[in-house]
Amino acid sequence: MRILKYVGAAVVVLLLALVAATFLIDANQFRPRLESTLSEALGRPVTVGNLSVAIWSGGVTAENLSIADDPAYSRTPFLQAKSLKLGVDLMPLIFSRKLNVTGLTIDQPSIVLLQSPSGEWNFSSLGEKPKPGAAVAPPPEPASAPGKPLELSAKLVRITGGRFSLGQANSRAKPLALDNVDLEIRDFAPAAAFPFSFSADVVGGGQLKLDGTAGPIPPTDAAMTPVEANFQVARLDVARSGVVQPSTGMAGLISFDAKASSNGETAMCMVSTRSA
């Protein structure tokens, strides 16, 4: 019994020490490094807001996140989010001041996806090495070897409560808008295939669900990423959603299941219809 008391006392002391240590850590000291790491990995300027340590959930939270768009498409952000939560190894953070990321959750992001007349997307250049003269957060420590892209990996990447807009660049046509977007990616690494699941409500009527695998992500064009997926479309209002333009005169609800695969250059899709 005495041994149990000693063990219990030691656990309590350790917990109190960990709680006290979080108050001594100014998480914002990692902000320049985090912004630099994300900017280098994405090839776009990335900014984050105030950082705080959440010991009980084992993470670091940033109040705001902004990722710049490709300037060829827009000067407004490609992504803006209410918060960014990083799952981290707490022991290295507390005792060695090292930031080891294990997971990433983006809360309530607004993401704008634009396609050019040539068919290229504004996310195609994500991960590319920044062009000469492009504004990217300066690294606070020696950068990686020239020409070698910095790869981020995480056991779990999540987007919760997101809003996506898909449209044509420099077009007045109504974009397709997705709300309540939830995306989950496990064992993410750019150089390997990774499983994912996706669900969203279509603004104007309808629901989408996808699950499958994607990757590896080509370093020169993210839009060429191979994908294998099953997806479901339920009660999609083709007119109100903007899938077809009002000038076509088409209207109605559609529902279908499909299997799709793409090697990055060609795509195949098998569709089975069902009643709306």
Side-chain angles (χ1 to χ4, degrees):
M1 292 297 294
R2 181 174 298 179
I3 293 177
L4 291 177
K5 289 182 180 180
Y6 289 154
V7 172
V11 171
V12 171
V13 170
L14 177 59
L15 289 175
L16 291 175
L18 290 175
V19 172
T22 60
F23 289 101
L24 300 177
I25 294 176
D26 179 12
N28 285 295
Q29 66 182 296
F30 298 104
R31 184 164 58 188
R33 178 183 175 189
L34 178 61
E35 290 179 337
S36 175
T37 299
L38 292 174
S39 296
E40 185 178 353
L42 296 177
R44 306 269 183 92
V46 177
T47 59
V48 296
N50 183 63
L51 300 181
S52 59
V53 178
I55 186 171
W56 301 117
S57 58
V60 175
T61 299
E63 293 180 353
N64 294 286
L65 169 68
S66 178
I67 301 175
D69 203 347
D70 185 327
Y73 291 82
S74 174
R75 296 293 179 180
T76 60
F78 168 75
L79 180 150
Q80 289 182 302
K82 180 180 179 181
S83 68
L84 167 69
K85 180 180 177 182
L86 300 174
V88 300
D89 291 329
L90 280 179
M91 292 305 177
L93 177 64
I94 293 173
F95 297 110
S96 303
R97 299 297 195 270
K98 292 182 179 179
L99 184 62
N100 298 331
V101 177
T102 59
L104 185 151
T105 299
I106 303 175
D107 185 35
Q108 299 180 29
S110 176
I111 300 176
V112 179
L113 303 175
L114 295 173
Q115 187 179 36
S116 69
S118 64
E120 295 182 349
W121 289 88
N122 61 338
F123 62 83
S124 295
S125 59
L126 282 172
E128 282 187 358
K129 188 177 180 180
K131 298 178 176 61
V136 175
E141 55 189 43
S144 55
K148 181 180 179 180
L150 178 63
E151 293 189 353
L152 292 179
S153 61
K155 293 181 180 179
L156 178 64
V157 177
R158 295 188 65 202
I159 287 178
T160 61
R163 183 177 177 87
F164 286 18
S165 174
L166 294 85
Q168 298 292 321
N170 303 317
S171 173
R172 295 184 179 181
K174 180 180 178 180
L176 176 67
L178 304 179
D179 210 353
N180 300 317
V181 175
D182 287 329
L183 171 66
E184 183 173 291
I185 298 172
R186 294 190 175 274
D187 301 319
F188 172 75
F194 46 85
F196 73 91
S197 61
F198 175 96
S199 65
D201 295 330
V202 181
V203 176
Q207 293 82 39
L208 303 177
K209 289 185 178 181
L210 294 86
D211 65 85
T213 59
I217 300 175
T220 56
D221 189 346
M224 302 296 286
T225 301
V227 176
E228 298 276 347
N230 300 313
F231 63 94
Q232 298 177 336
V233 176
R235 299 185 62 81
L236 175 64
D237 191 316
V238 295
R240 294 179 59 193
S241 66
V243 171
V244 297
Q245 297 303 311
S247 59
T248 65
M250 296 178 61
L253 303 179
I254 61 173
S255 297
F256 62 88
D257 298 335
K259 292 184 177 181
S261 63
S262 171
N263 62 7
E265 296 182 354
T266 59
M268 296 181 61
C269 185
M270 297 180 60
V271 178
S272 58
T273 59
R274 50 191 170 91
S275 61

